[in-house]
Amino acid sequence: MTDVGVVSRLARWAADRRWLPDAQRAVLGYYAETGTFDYRALALKSQVDDVMDEVLAELYEAVETELAREFDLPADAVSFAYETKLTLPAELTLGYLFRRYRSRATGGYDPVADELAGRDGVLGTFPGVGGRRDETAHRQRANRELAAEASRAREMTAFVVWALLDGDMRDAINDDEFEDFVVDVDADARATSTELAPRRVARVAQSRLQSRVEAGFDDHPDAVRAAYDHAVEVSEAHQAEDDRFRGLMAAAADDAPVADETDAAESDVADRSPEAARDAIEGEYKYRQMADDGHPFTDDELDLPYLTTQYDRVGVIYHGMLEMYRGAGFEIEPAFERSIVFAIIGAQVWLDDVDDYHDDVADGQLTPVTAEYLLADSERAAFESIVEVAEAYFDPARAYAEAADSTLTGIAVEYILRSGDVSDLPGADG
């Protein structure tokens, strides 16, 4: 066996050790799968993280100012944060663009850091041997244009993050879910202030973001707003069907209809037998036809289980995010877009839906995970099907990330995969 083969086997062994941090396991797992260890990608991730820290710090500071005003607190007395995983695709997109600009730079110039590597070298005042001044000036101009693009990518990513969090906060308020809003007031101010009601905090935070986003749209081409509005429209149409899906789940489980005020017990749902309801779940939820003509998938991919409903549920948000970048003039390859959308749908199933399985059953919430336990012949068969569904999304996500030369996205897929824990699902023990 070659040395490379030995190292790959060791990397795979280490990646499977749960005592290692998930991030390290992801890097090792990516190397084991692809044979690629890209140290430049790790350095790039650090720079992207720095940008994201700055973006979120600005966001939180703006919200803190509004909270202090709303609750009559000293300006520096309140701290705010919002716990969310929504920013990952925006981070990966920024890394993807940064990597492109670096690859197009010449003479050791780093357009991301905006620093010249050796000002007296190829990019210096004097051309090299056999060179000409106009060639050097052209390279300098081209590199500085790349730096300007990198700066513009930072600004666009900040705007996208604000828009993503604005939408997520609105959903949280509609669902009365405020645990992701983290607020703290220093001891002196807390002693003289009234309690900060979670809903009021959430409304102040969301309102501040919304005003910033609305103002930001005025600074971008109309195509950016159109992409955002389309994604929201598709997502909200899916949410509007939630009661119907709940009704089908209750009927398939042969449970009593959900309370009338939810409108879930529609006549065409409540009157169905469990078998008919399961058929409807398979046709209307698992293998639903795609209605959005703007989707990013190939014809073969449209046959994937749960693709339409999960695209409408989460994938369209990130398709819309990337369309916003395109609308602002950024070039986004279809391969990169698909890697992001497939990774996000896989994460929704493998992380959120698996983790929330027992709560979703109790709440009557139809997801790919709860659906499989209704459709499969046994708990073990359902468990195996859930694993297959997740793999059906992670496999193309990896392949498309490699095609787009996005090592960070490939590592992110490994991170998502290795962060999941399906051991608590029924049938996991065989």
Side-chain angles (χ1 to χ4, degrees):
M1 180 175 292
T2 65
D3 291 342
V4 173
V6 172
V7 174
S8 179
R9 287 182 61 189
L10 288 173
R12 187 181 302 279
W13 177 87
D16 290 337
R17 306 280 78 79
R18 283 201 165 270
W19 42 265
L20 279 175
D22 287 339
Q24 293 182 18
R25 295 172 65 218
V27 173
L28 292 168
Y30 182 77
Y31 174 77
E33 290 291 335
T34 66
T36 298
F37 184 81
D38 190 346
Y39 70 90
R40 293 170 302 176
L42 302 180
L44 183 60
K45 181 182 184 306
S46 178
Q47 288 184 301
V48 170
D49 288 344
D50 289 344
V51 172
M52 198 57 56
D53 288 343
E54 292 176 5
V55 170
L56 292 177
E58 180 187 355
L59 183 157
Y60 296 156
E61 183 178 358
V63 173
E64 287 163 359
T65 299
E66 291 298 319
L67 289 173
R69 183 181 298 113
E70 176 75 12
F71 291 96
D72 194 23
L73 294 167
D76 298 328
V78 60
S79 66
F80 174 84
Y82 187 69
E83 296 180 347
T84 179
K85 296 174 285 189
L86 279 179
T87 61
L88 176 60
E91 295 171 40
L92 295 174
T93 304
L94 183 60
Y96 164 80
L97 292 172
F98 276 178
R99 185 176 183 120
R100 173 188 295 159
Y101 302 144
R102 276 182 170 167
S103 71
R104 294 177 179 176
T106 59
Y109 181 69
D110 183 355
V112 175
D114 195 21
E115 292 178 353
L116 291 175
R119 293 179 180 271
D120 295 328
V122 176
L123 289 177
T125 303
F126 300 102
V129 176
R132 297 184 312 194
R133 287 183 187 274
D134 57 348
E135 290 177 351
T136 301
H138 172 74
R139 288 195 294 270
Q140 288 179 322
R141 184 168 58 253
N143 283 340
R144 290 184 176 124
E145 288 174 356
L146 291 171
E149 282 298 289
S151 178
R152 200 166 71 89
R154 291 188 188 96
E155 295 173 0
M156 185 64 192
T157 300
F159 177 61
V160 163
V161 167
W162 282 66
L164 288 172
L165 296 190
D166 171 39
D168 196 51
M169 285 185 180
R170 274 187 277 180
D171 289 343
I173 292 170
N174 291 337
D175 296 337
D176 289 321
E177 296 175 352
F178 305 116
E179 61 271 13
D180 292 335
F181 295 84
V182 182
V183 184
D184 188 37
V185 179
D186 68 35
D188 292 339
R190 191 183 306 121
T192 59
S193 69
T194 58
E195 182 178 354
L196 277 63
R199 173 170 284 277
R200 192 173 165 194
V201 167
R203 288 193 177 281
V204 169
Q206 187 274 320
S207 177
R208 181 65 186 92
L209 263 67
Q210 183 176 0
S211 63
R212 176 67 177 267
V213 170
E214 290 297 329
F217 279 125
D218 293 337
D219 297 330
H220 291 91
D222 292 343
V224 174
R225 180 62 183 257
Y228 176 84
D229 287 344
H230 176 73
V232 170
E233 180 183 357
V234 173
S235 178
E236 289 181 346
H238 174 79
Q239 293 176 26
E241 293 191 278
D242 184 61
D243 287 344
R244 178 175 177 78
F245 292 144
R246 287 174 180 271
L248 287 173
M249 183 175 175
D254 200 18
D255 291 341
V258 181
D260 288 342
E261 60 266 22
T262 67
D263 293 328
E266 301 173 12
S267 59
D268 68 326
V269 172
D271 293 342
R272 295 192 187 196
S273 66
E275 182 179 1
R278 286 191 288 271
D279 288 343
I281 289 173
E282 183 139 0
E284 298 178 28
Y285 192 78
K286 185 172 183 177
Y287 292 111
R288 185 174 189 150
Q289 289 190 339
M290 183 71 69
D292 181 15
D293 293 334
H295 68 79
F297 309 110
T298 67
D299 290 343
D300 290 341
E301 290 162 353
L302 292 176
D303 293 331
L304 286 172
Y306 302 105
L307 178 65
T308 295
T309 49
Q310 302 317 296
Y311 170 74
D312 291 353
R313 180 187 180 194
V314 293
V316 71
I317 297 300
Y318 296 102
H319 169 62
M321 177 196 83
L322 293 168
E323 286 293 298
M324 289 172 68
Y325 278 96
R326 288 186 177 121
F330 294 93
E331 179 187 347
I332 305 292
E333 297 172 81
F336 178 76
E337 177 178 36
R338 290 174 186 147
S339 72
I340 291 292
V341 175
F342 278 125
I344 289 300
I345 294 177
Q348 180 67 44
V349 175
W350 191 245
L351 299 181
D352 292 358
D353 293 344
V354 166
D355 287 349
D356 295 342
Y357 168 72
H358 295 287
D359 291 338
D360 287 340
V361 169
D363 193 40
Q365 182 70 56
L366 190 63
T367 71
V369 175
T370 57
E372 283 305 312
Y373 284 100
L374 295 171
L375 299 176
D377 295 333
S378 67
E379 289 183 344
R380 181 61 187 177
F383 173 81
E384 291 175 349
S385 183
I386 291 163
V387 174
E388 290 173 0
V389 167
E391 290 175 345
Y393 289 97
F394 290 136
D395 287 347
R398 285 194 199 95
Y400 280 127
E402 186 174 0
D405 193 27
S406 179
T407 303
L408 283 182
T409 305
I411 293 173
V413 173
E414 290 296 325
Y415 180 82
I416 293 166
L417 181 60
R418 296 175 188 281
S419 298
D421 182 4
V422 296
S423 61
D424 286 339
L425 288 180
D429 56 3

